[in-house]
Amino acid sequence: MRLPLQADRPARAEDLVVSDSNRAAVTRLAAWPDGFTPVLALHGPAGCGKSHLARLWAERTGAVALDGVEAALIDPLELEGRPVLLDDADQADDESLFHLFNLARAPGGALLLASGVAPNLWPHVLPDLRSRLDATPAVAISEPDDAILSAILRARFAERSISPTDDLIAYLVRRIDRSAQAAAQVVERLDADPRPVTRATARLVLDAADRDTQA
């Protein structure tokens, strides 16, 4: 009998899987501060690993890590001369973003913006900010490839103290949608099923899910 236990595991550098989907971003951030412009944007679909990678950069550089709307709650003087990570950056207000851009150009400053899409697609309208966003260098992370999706599945299983076989992981990679959300959902379904977590069980669970979707 499996107990309904789930443990949150902090992001660690050794958990980072580098593949073609994220190699450009990993290389760009690893080179900091060499070749790093005062402001850099990191963007990609939900679950692609951009927040994980951005927070590893923040830990390594001693950057202040903020999330979107938090930018309006912090005193800019506390950020002067320090690198800053702004996750969900497109959710920040115009004035806060404008101040962060200016601070990034001070000695010791830097700004890493993480979001779902590149800054030139954000809805901000303040003219001086709009020009800065349009000119911001951006590096993309694409949707998870086989290597990344396999790592996501293993991480979600590990949170539930389940040790999947390589055969099961390979089967799930072929069957599920290529997203972190799909990986989390299938692991949750398998954990809730009373049968052993095997490829055969996965096939039954996914077939049942397909039938429910088509009904």
Side-chain angles (χ1 to χ4, degrees), residues 168 171-177 182 185-187 189-190 195 199-213:
L168 172 59
Y171 176 74
L172 292 176
V173 166
R174 294 194 300 271
R175 280 290 308 264
I176 68 174
D177 290 339
Q185 289 174 343
V186 72
V187 170
R189 291 192 185 105
L190 286 169
R195 292 166 291 196
R199 173 174 170 167
T201 301
R203 180 176 59 79
L204 294 173
V205 167
L206 289 172
D207 286 348
D210 289 342
R211 288 194 296 272
D212 291 343
T213 301

Side-chain angles (χ1 to χ4, degrees), residues 22-211:
N22 64 4
R23 195 179 311 280
V26 171
T27 301
R28 188 75 175 269
L29 293 184
W32 189 91
D34 294 335
F36 197 99
T37 55
V39 183
L40 178 69
L42 181 67
H43 65 94
C48 69
K50 61 182 178 293
S51 293
H52 182 179
L53 181 57
R55 290 191 178 273
L56 290 177
W57 174 84
E59 291 175 9
R60 182 170 61 85
T61 62
V64 178
L66 303 173
D67 285 314
V69 295
E70 290 181 351
L73 306 177
I74 192 167
D75 184 349
L77 293 178
E78 297 181 21
L79 305 177
E80 191 170 357
R82 300 187 61 183
V84 174
L85 160 64
L86 186 61
D87 205 354
D88 293 325
D90 54 323
Q91 301 302 311
D93 65 276
D94 286 32
E95 184 176 354
S96 297
L97 268 177
F98 185 73
H99 286 317
L100 289 176
F101 266 83
N102 289 336
L103 287 169
R105 286 165 170 76
L111 177 61
L112 179 62
L113 304 168
S115 65
V117 297
N120 63 329
L121 298 176
W122 297 359
H124 301 81
V125 295
L126 186 67
D128 287 344
L129 175 61
R130 182 71 266 159
S131 63
R132 285 167 169 78
L133 291 174
D134 290 343
T136 297
V139 59
I141 299 180
S142 60
E143 67 178 11
D145 56 18
D146 287 0
I148 299 296
L149 190 56
S150 296
I152 293 173
L153 284 164
R154 291 187 186 280
R156 299 294 80 79
F157 277 122
E159 289 172 353
R160 297 170 181 271
S161 299
I162 300 173
S163 299
T165 64
D166 292 343
D167 184 56
L168 172 59
I169 295 295
Y171 176 74
L172 292 176
V173 166
R174 294 194 300 271
R175 280 290 308 264
I176 68 174
D177 290 339
R178 200 157 289 273
S179 71
Q181 181 181 10
Q185 289 174 343
V186 72
V187 170
E188 181 179 5
R189 291 192 185 105
L190 286 169
D191 192 24
D193 195 285
R195 292 166 291 196
V197 179
T198 63
R199 173 174 170 167
T201 301
R203 180 176 59 79
L204 294 173
V205 167
L206 289 172
D207 286 348
D210 289 342
R211 288 194 296 272

